[in-house]
Amino acid sequence: MENQENQVPEVKNFLQSNTAKMIMVGFLTLVLLIPLFFVQDLIRERSQRKTQMVNEVTNLWGRDVQFYGPMLRIPYTSYEAYNVTNSKTGVTTIERRAVNNYAYFFPNELKNTSNIRKNDNLKRGIFNHVVFTADMNFKGNFTSPNFTKLGIAEENIQWEKAAVIVKTTNLKSIKSELKIQLNKDTFSFESQNSDKSEYSVLATNTFDYKALMNSDKIDFNFAISYNGSNSVKFIPIGKVTTVSIDSDWESPSFEGTFAASDTTKTINKKGFHADWKILDINRTFSQQYANVLPDLNDYLFGVKLIQTVDEYQQNERASKYGFLVIGLTFLIFFLIQSISKINIHIFQYSMIGLALIMFYTLLISITEHSTFSFAYTIAGASVITMITLYSISILKNKKFPMFIGIALSVLYSFIYVIIQMEDYALLVGSIGLFLILGAVMYFSRKIDWSK
């Protein structure tokens, strides 16, 4: 009885309880989001720097290639009426004056074959922007121009001043001599005054259309070589337009109003092949125009040569999983602490969290000098090794640190797989998080949370 009266009831310290430890670890996780945000800001800054370098390279090498042509241009005479008032008599008379205008005719057949070869040796500092060289060949024919649809009389047509013109972007990056063969005659293209649009105009010397015409048509054949970047697109002005593109680019994006043929399209690691065939009934514009050429950019089609995910996009996606990595790593340490009864100080949690943050700075810095996969492997192995060795000194054994090392390896591998995926990233991520939650519920089932 006396012993029972002298017993002092055990006072529970709230700061030593599992609840208090969970609160502190959770608060520390939120605090570590601050340096993680700084790392994400660094990634965006480096990405913007790369964009600036890319713009410098493309300005020097060549930008997007868009092609609108060839077109037959024939001048004609029209007459404008105007009033003339006699200053002495005050009588007004109507007179006419001749004005030269142009009629434009699109080809009956237009065939293009293009070969696009990437050039990945153009560097600015540590940045390597992929550009390309495009070799294009155009063939087809013009049939007899239909001036009747334009309401132009035969006697007003200046057949002897006909010319062939093309409109194209990226004029300064054309790397071949521009000559066109019309039937058996050859003509050179020369630059013309721009119409202040995004296109530059090239035109041949004038020729006599009727003298050159053979069997009511003129066959044409010419080639152009471009230095370019980003995309190659065409406007289907032929009554029948066929385009065939071959390239060693492994990640094309087919864009525009018209889709490439599914029966002949191939894409693999060696490159791609794509074909288009577009008829005049597939688009809503005419084959002839008077005075002004129409803006047909809504009918552009072709290929965009893209990098599916560049290194900065991959780094940014990896950093978005930073909160998950920190949270799960702290959860593993907390479960080990609760199961093994080993006390882990909040300072030690802080060191582990900062080591996890360092993974992303290592990743971005190494990526800029190598590939993302190599950088991810080196950064991941370095951080896992550091945390595993630190865990040995904290936990005073090797069993739990080995488990931590394996768990972090699996976690980083899981995140790497998600980053590389595009279509199935959400599905795989959801399944992975579900399995992680199941594992946490299993290992925490015997912990007495009331203490």
Side-chain angles (χ1 to χ4, degrees):
M1 290 288 295
E2 209 171 303
N3 290 337
Q4 291 178 356
E5 289 177 1
N6 292 334
Q7 262 185 339
V8 179
E10 183 181 352
V11 179
K12 292 185 178 179
N13 188 350
F14 175 76
L15 293 177
Q16 299 298 320
S17 66
N18 286 331
T19 302
K21 292 176 181 178
M22 287 182 63
I23 293 173
M24 287 188 287
V25 171
F27 179 74
L28 177 61
T29 303
L30 294 176
V31 170
L32 287 172
L33 289 180
I34 297 174
L36 184 61
F37 288 147
F38 282 126
V39 171
Q40 291 175 342
D41 189 59
L42 173 65
I43 294 172
R44 285 190 289 270
E45 179 186 336
R46 301 300 293 175
S47 179
Q48 291 172 359
R49 176 61 177 161
K50 180 185 178 181
T51 300
Q52 293 174 357
M53 293 297 102
V54 167
N55 289 334
E56 289 182 14
V57 170
T58 53
N59 280 333
L60 294 173
W61 178 265
R63 291 187 172 273
D64 301 69
V65 175
Q66 295 178 7
F67 198 87
Y68 182 179
M71 296 160 279
L72 183 63
R73 184 182 70 187
I74 301 177
Y76 66 93
T77 303
S78 61
Y79 296 91
E80 293 181 351
Y82 64 98
N83 296 329
V84 178
T85 302
N86 190 308
S87 59
K88 293 182 179 180
T89 63
V91 176
T92 300
T93 59
I94 299 175
E95 296 186 6
R96 293 200 313 163
R97 60 185 171 194
V99 178
N100 286 330
N101 286 312
Y102 290 104
Y104 300 91
F105 300 92
F106 295 159
N108 184 58
E109 287 184 285
L110 176 59
K111 298 179 181 179
N112 168 267
T113 55
S114 297
N115 187 276
I116 303 172
R117 303 183 307 278
K118 63 181 177 181
N119 183 330
D120 53 7
N121 296 319
L122 207 61
K123 299 189 70 173
R124 283 293 184 274
I126 60 176
F127 303 110
N128 186 9
H129 176 53
V130 183
V131 293
F132 63 80
T133 298
D135 295 321
M136 302 181 183
N137 183 264
F138 295 86
K139 293 181 180 180
N141 60 70
F142 295 103
T143 54
S144 296
N146 191 342
F147 280 90
T148 304
K149 287 188 176 182
L150 299 176
I152 299 172
E154 173 70 24
E155 61 271 15
N156 295 329
I157 303 171
Q158 302 175 29
W159 294 103
E160 71 283 359
K161 295 181 180 180
V164 173
I165 69 168
V166 297
K167 299 179 73 174
T168 181
T169 59
N170 204 26
L171 191 64
K172 71 174 185 179
S173 297
I174 295 177
K175 299 303 176 184
S176 60
E177 187 179 4
L178 290 183
K179 292 185 177 182
I180 184 170
Q181 183 175 347
L182 300 176
N183 286 342
K184 295 182 180 180
D185 295 333
T186 301
F187 298 85
S188 296
F189 281 109
E190 295 180 357
S191 297
Q192 304 289 300
N193 292 330
S194 176
D195 55 3
K196 296 184 180 180
S197 70
E198 59 188 305
Y199 293 93
S200 300
V201 180
L202 299 170
T204 65
N205 295 328
T206 58
F207 57 87
D208 189 334
Y209 179 86
K210 288 190 173 181
L212 193 66
M213 182 177 59
N214 181 19
S215 301
D216 292 333
K217 70 175 184 177
I218 293 179
D219 294 316
F220 62 82
N221 185 355
F222 66 99
I224 299 181
S225 180
Y226 285 94
N227 285 344
S229 61
N230 194 49
S231 67
V232 176
K233 294 180 180 178
F234 305 89
I235 294 177
I237 62 171
K239 198 167 185 179
V240 178
T241 302
T242 57
V243 173
S244 178
I245 300 179
D246 288 284
S247 176
D248 57 357
W249 207 285
E250 65 278 1
S251 56
S253 174
F254 300 107
E255 296 185 337
T257 306
F258 305 97
S261 172
D262 289 332
T263 56
T264 59
K265 181 172 64 179
T266 58
I267 304 174
N268 52 48
K269 292 182 179 180
K270 294 182 179 179
F272 73 88
H273 172 83
D275 296 304
W276 289 262
K277 184 176 182 179
I278 302 157
L279 306 177
D280 61 333
I281 59 173
N282 301 139
R283 72 299 194 278
T284 56
F285 59 84
S286 176
Q287 289 296 108
Q288 55 276 318
Y289 289 90
N291 302 330
V292 179
L293 280 168
D295 181 359
L296 300 178
N297 279 351
D298 289 342
Y299 297 92
L300 279 167
F301 71 94
V303 62
K304 185 175 182 180
L305 308 173
I306 61 172
Q307 292 175 302
T308 50
V309 181
D310 70 18
E311 64 271 19
Y312 292 104
Q313 289 176 322
Q314 290 175 316
N315 273 270
E316 187 175 359
R317 289 175 63 181
S319 68
K320 289 179 179 179
Y321 293 98
F323 179 77
L324 175 66
V325 173
I326 294 171
L328 288 177
T329 304
F330 281 0
L331 183 60
I332 292 171
F333 274 94
F334 182 78
L335 291 176
I336 291 174
Q337 173 182 334
S338 302
I339 294 171
S340 64
K341 308 302 180 182
I342 298 173
N343 187 39
I344 302 177
H345 195 271
I346 195 68
F347 176 80
Q348 294 168 321
Y349 276 106
S350 301
M351 293 298 100
I352 294 167
L354 291 175
L356 295 171
I357 298 294
M358 281 299 300
F359 166 79
Y360 300 102
T361 58
L362 286 172
L363 180 61
I364 184 66
S365 58
I366 299 174
T367 299
E368 290 185 337
H369 299 276
S370 64
T371 63
F372 176 80
S373 299
F374 178 77
Y376 195 95
T377 302
I378 297 300
S382 301
V383 171
I384 291 171
T385 302
M386 177 184 287
I387 293 177
T388 302
L389 294 176
Y390 189 58
S391 301
I392 294 175
S393 64
I394 296 174
L395 303 175
K396 309 301 182 183
N397 61 54
K398 294 184 178 180
K399 180 178 69 172
F400 288 125
M402 290 301 296
F403 172 77
I404 291 170
I406 294 172
L408 286 175
S409 300
V410 172
L411 180 59
Y412 278 118
S413 299
F414 169 66
I415 292 174
Y416 178 80
V417 171
I418 293 177
I419 292 172
Q420 299 304 311
M421 288 184 170
E422 295 181 24
D423 298 331
Y424 298 98
L426 179 60
L427 175 62
V428 174
S430 301
I431 294 173
L433 290 176
F434 180 80
L435 295 176
I436 290 172
L437 177 61
V440 172
M441 294 171 68
Y442 176 80
F443 287 110
S444 63
R445 70 191 189 283
K446 294 184 179 180
I447 298 177
D448 185 0
W449 300 104
S450 61
K451 292 183 180 180

